Amino acid sequence: MPKLSSRAVEMPSSPIRKLAPLAVEAKKRGTHVFHLNIGQPDVRTPQSGLEVLKHIDRSVLEYSPSQGFLSYREKLVKYYAKYNIALTPDDIIITTGGSEAVLFAFLSCLNPGDEIIIPEPSYANYMAFAVSAGAKIRSIATTIDEGFSLPKVEKFEELINERTRAILICNPNNPTGYLYTRREMNQIRDLVKKYDLYLFSDEVYREFIYTGSPYISACHLEGIEQNVVLIDSVSKRYSECGIRIGALITKNAEVRAAVMKFCQARLSPPLLGQIVAEASMDEPGAYAEMVYEEYVERRKCLIDGLNRIPGVYSPIPMGAFYTVARLPVDDAERFCAWCLTDFQYEGQTIMLAPAAGFYTTPGAGIDEVRIAYVLCKEDLERALNVLAEALKAYPGRKTNI
C-alpha cells in the first residue's frame, strides 16, 4: 500500500478536538457535556450580520476578488484606526479565517527548514501550519508559576541562529489569556530589528482585554513596519467562527504580492462570509459593550471558582477568553478522557483541552488544561461543580497537594 507523506505523518492532531469522539459517545449515553475545550462562544452573533444573511438578494453567488471586497477592506481601515493602527485598503488581504492568514504568511515568508520562535504554550494549530510550510518551531518556555510572562531577551537570543526567520506571538494570548506588556513588546521589537526577522502577530482577541494596561499591537512598534505581518479574524469579535473570515495585514508590499499568489490559487475568500462580516461592522457599539461585560463576569466566575477547588491553580488571564489551569492529576489528557468515558455527576460531565498539546517541549503541561470560558455563568458554575466532583473521584488524583 502506498505510504503517506512525511508531512501527513508529522501533522499533529488537534488537542482541542482529539477527544471529540469520546464526547459524542458520552452524549449518546445521555450525559450532558459542558464544552470548555474549544473557543466557540455562545454569545449571539450581531443582529446586523444575521439579518443581511437572511435577506441576501443575489441571483448568482459569485467569486469575490482574491484579496476580498474593497468595501469590506475600506470599513476595516476605519475599524483599525480606532486602535491607532493606520492602514490603507491595500494593506489588508481577506482570508478564509485567521488560520489561512497564518498559513499563507508562513508559506510566503519561510523556506523549508527555516525556524520560528514561538512562546509556549501556544495555539496548537501554529504547529500544524509550520509542518505544512516545512518550517520548524523553536519554543521559548513560559510557565504557569510566572503567569506566562516572557523570559528575558537572553533566552530568545539563545535560540536564534542562521535558520531563524521569524518570531510569532498571540496577543492577547491563546491559550493562556496573557497580555504582553509594553516592555515585552519593545523587547520583541528590538530582537526583530537586530536580527531582521519577521514578526507574525495574531491579534484576534484585541477586544477582550481586562486590565488598565494598553493594547500594544505589533503595528504600533516603530522601526519594524516592513517586518510585521498581523493576523486577524471576526470569529471571536462577532461570534462568527463559522463564516471563516480573517485578514492578513502588512505594510510590506513584497510580502503582500507573495501572499496574493496563494490567494489567487485558492480563488477567493468566502462570499457569504464577507457579506455577513461587513454588515456586522454596522452593529451599534452597545453590542461590543455587552459582549465585553459578559466576558468580564465569566472570567471572574471561572477563575474564582477554579482557585477555590483544592489543588487547582489558575493565574488571572488579562485577555482573550481562555486560561490554563494546573490540576492535581497524574496526566491531564488521561483525566480529560476519563471525564468523558468513566465519569458523570448528576448526569453531567465536562470536556477540557489537555494543555500538553499546546506545548512542543516533551512532558510540558502534563498536569495542565486549557479552559475556554465561552459558556454562560450558570453553565460555568455547574461545570466547576462537576470538575470539583471529578477531581475527588479521579483514580489518578495527586495526593501531595
Side-chain angles (χ1 to χ4, degrees), residues 296-345:
V296 169
E297 291 298 315
R298 293 180 183 191
R299 180 183 73 136
K300 177 174 173 53
C301 173
L302 178 69
I303 304 305
D304 287 353
L306 286 172
N307 288 319
R308 280 196 296 265
I309 300 174
V312 175
Y313 171 67
S314 171
I316 301 174
M318 291 300 159
F321 40 68
Y322 308 98
T323 195
V324 170
R326 183 164 55 208
L327 305 181
V329 298
D330 57 349
D331 184 296
E333 183 168 339
R334 188 177 299 131
F335 171 73
C336 292
W338 175 86
C339 285
L340 295 169
T341 58
D342 291 30
F343 176 79
Q344 60 86 24
Y345 177 70

Side-chain angles (χ1 to χ4, degrees), residues 117-121 137-142 150-157 159 187 360-361:
I117 298 174
I118 305 180
E120 70 171 357
I137 287 178
R138 298 292 301 276
S139 295
I140 185 160
T142 69
L150 285 183
K152 292 181 179 179
V153 68
E154 291 79 12
K155 292 294 183 181
F156 276 88
E157 293 195 305
L159 298 180
Q187 169 184 316
T360 57
T361 301

Side-chain angles (χ1 to χ4, degrees), residues 135-250:
K136 180 181 179 182
I137 287 178
R138 298 292 301 276
S139 295
I140 185 160
T142 69
T143 67
I144 192 169
D145 292 313
E146 295 180 351
F148 299 109
S149 60
L150 285 183
K152 292 181 179 179
V153 68
E154 291 79 12
K155 292 294 183 181
F156 276 88
E157 293 195 305
E158 288 174 6
L159 298 180
I160 294 176
N161 58 49
E162 68 278 0
R163 295 182 299 277
T164 308
R165 290 290 298 275
I167 295 174
L168 186 152
I169 59 172
C170 180
N171 186 37
N173 187 266
N174 174 11
T176 67
Y178 187 76
L179 179 69
Y180 291 112
T181 65
R182 184 180 295 276
R183 178 190 64 79
E184 289 170 326
M185 291 297 286
N186 287 341
Q187 169 184 316
I188 291 170
R189 175 202 62 199
D190 293 344
L191 283 167
V192 166
K193 192 171 184 178
K194 179 178 179 180
Y195 294 98
D196 194 24
L197 306 174
Y198 286 110
L199 175 56
F200 304 129
S201 187
D202 183 342
E203 301 181 12
V204 305
Y205 297 100
R206 73 174 61 79
E207 277 77 18
F208 309 110
I209 294 175
Y210 314 112
T211 172
S213 301
Y215 156 63
I216 309 298
S217 170
C219 291
H220 294 151
L221 304 176
E222 296 181 357
I224 59 167
E225 291 82 0
Q226 295 297 305
N227 304 67
V228 170
V229 179
L230 188 145
I231 309 300
D232 206 357
S233 168
V234 300
S235 290
K236 317 302 180 175
R237 180 154 74 237
Y238 299 133
S239 196
E240 292 177 341
C241 299
I243 69 170
R244 309 310 302 137
I245 295 297
L248 183 151
I249 297 163
T250 182

Side-chain angles (χ1 to χ4, degrees), residues 12-210:
S13 299
S14 169
I16 305 169
R17 297 175 182 268
K18 69 187 300 183
L19 301 177
L22 302 183
V24 170
E25 292 303 314
K27 292 174 186 176
K28 286 181 180 177
R29 296 192 299 271
T31 303
H32 179 82
V33 178
F34 290 109
H35 282 273
L36 302 175
N37 61 304
I38 192 167
Q40 171 57 67
D42 66 352
V43 173
R44 184 178 175 84
T45 297
Q47 192 62 33
S48 54
L50 295 172
E51 287 300 318
V52 77
L53 182 61
K54 293 175 185 175
H55 300 102
I56 291 175
D57 183 18
R58 299 172 102 90
S59 58
V60 176
L61 298 177
E62 75 278 13
Y63 289 125
S64 69
S66 294
Q67 68 271 40
F69 284 124
L70 176 60
S71 58
Y72 178 43
R73 290 182 286 122
E74 288 174 336
K75 277 191 175 181
L76 284 173
V77 168
K78 295 177 182 178
Y79 162 78
Y80 291 113
K82 294 187 295 185
Y83 291 92
N84 196 31
I85 299 174
L87 301 171
T88 70
D90 288 343
D91 297 329
I92 304 170
I93 296 173
I94 305 305
T95 56
T96 307
S99 297
E100 187 179 74
V102 177
L103 177 60
F104 284 2
F106 285 5
L107 291 172
S108 299
C109 300
L110 307 174
N111 288 313
D114 283 348
E115 297 182 355
I116 321 164
I117 298 174
I118 305 180
E120 70 171 357
S122 64
Y123 178 51
N125 280 343
Y126 297 151
M127 305 171 203
F129 301 140
V131 169
S132 299
K136 180 181 179 182
I137 287 178
R138 298 292 301 276
S139 295
I140 185 160
T142 69
T143 67
I144 192 169
D145 292 313
E146 295 180 351
F148 299 109
S149 60
L150 285 183
K152 292 181 179 179
V153 68
E154 291 79 12
K155 292 294 183 181
F156 276 88
E157 293 195 305
E158 288 174 6
L159 298 180
I160 294 176
N161 58 49
E162 68 278 0
R163 295 182 299 277
T164 308
R165 290 290 298 275
I167 295 174
L168 186 152
I169 59 172
C170 180
N171 186 37
N173 187 266
N174 174 11
T176 67
Y178 187 76
L179 179 69
Y180 291 112
T181 65
R182 184 180 295 276
R183 178 190 64 79
E184 289 170 326
M185 291 297 286
N186 287 341
Q187 169 184 316
I188 291 170
R189 175 202 62 199
D190 293 344
L191 283 167
V192 166
K193 192 171 184 178
K194 179 178 179 180
Y195 294 98
D196 194 24
L197 306 174
Y198 286 110
L199 175 56
F200 304 129
S201 187
D202 183 342
E203 301 181 12
V204 305
Y205 297 100
R206 73 174 61 79
E207 277 77 18
F208 309 110
I209 294 175
Y210 314 112

Side-chain angles (χ1 to χ4, degrees), residues 246-282:
L248 183 151
I249 297 163
T250 182
K251 295 283 188 180
N252 188 317
E254 187 176 15
V255 170
R256 291 200 308 270
V259 170
M260 276 302 299
K261 295 178 185 178
F262 293 100
C263 290
Q264 290 164 354
R266 62 85 161 107
L267 302 182
S268 74
L271 169 70
L272 301 185
Q274 288 180 86
I275 293 171
V276 173
E278 183 173 341
S280 297
M281 298 185 74
D282 296 329

